Amino acid sequence: QVQLVESGGGLVQAAGSLRLSCADSGRTFSSYLIAWFRQAPGKDRELVAAITRSGGSTYSVSSVKGRFTISRDNAKNMVYLQMNSLIPEDTAVYSCVARTEVVSDNSDRYPYWGQGTKVAASS
């Protein structure tokens, strides 16, 4: 089981950068695929990026390709989401999630969630 805690959200101007972190205090972190979902006000949750257990493969949604990078450090039980060139459309609550199976864009398939962190990019 994992216990996920996000940090790093905030308010930035458009074109700015933020790095989100997702930490786990457990012992089985490397057994889980980790993903970031986001939910903007009035919109459905959206899968943003995911990284496999070893970190060997990543996925990102087309709207963030070239701007966002997901990475992980299993020795530190950490996953990061580096977000560059932020635009107002990136404004949302970002949540770190985990599951043992392959990546899914259905948020209901992820049993483990952090509390979420707010990201806002102003124009």
Side-chain angles (χ1 to χ4, degrees):
Q1 188 167 336
V2 289
Q3 293 180 322
L4 305 173
V5 178
E6 303 98 332
S7 61
L11 172 65
V12 296
Q13 290 187 333
S17 297
L18 284 173
R19 187 176 81 156
L20 304 184
S21 298
C22 174
D24 171 45
S25 58
R27 298 182 180 182
T28 59
F29 182 73
S30 61
S31 299
Y32 293 84
L33 175 142
I34 305 294
W36 289 93
F37 276 81
R38 68 184 178 185
Q39 187 166 25
K43 294 189 176 181
D44 292 335
R45 279 198 190 111
E46 175 188 36
L47 174 64
V48 177
I51 188 164
T52 55
R53 290 172 287 181
S54 68
S57 295
T58 62
Y59 163 86
S60 58
V61 69
S62 59
S63 61
V64 307
K65 280 187 187 296
R67 301 188 299 121
F68 292 10
T69 302
I70 189 170
S71 62
R72 72 188 294 164
D73 184 341
N74 285 340
K76 296 181 178 179
N77 283 10
M78 296 290 294
V79 166
Y80 307 99
L81 185 67
Q82 179 66 44
M83 305 186 297
N84 299 327
S85 302
L86 283 160
I87 59 178
E89 289 76 12
D90 295 320
T91 296
V93 174
Y94 286 70
S95 297
C96 174
V97 302
R99 71 193 300 246
T100 56
E101 297 85 1
V102 297
V103 64
S104 171
D105 62 1
N106 183 345
S107 62
D108 291 338
R109 301 291 179 91
Y110 294 82
Y112 304 106
W113 286 70
Q115 83 284 359
T117 185
K118 292 183 180 180
V119 170
S122 62
S123 58

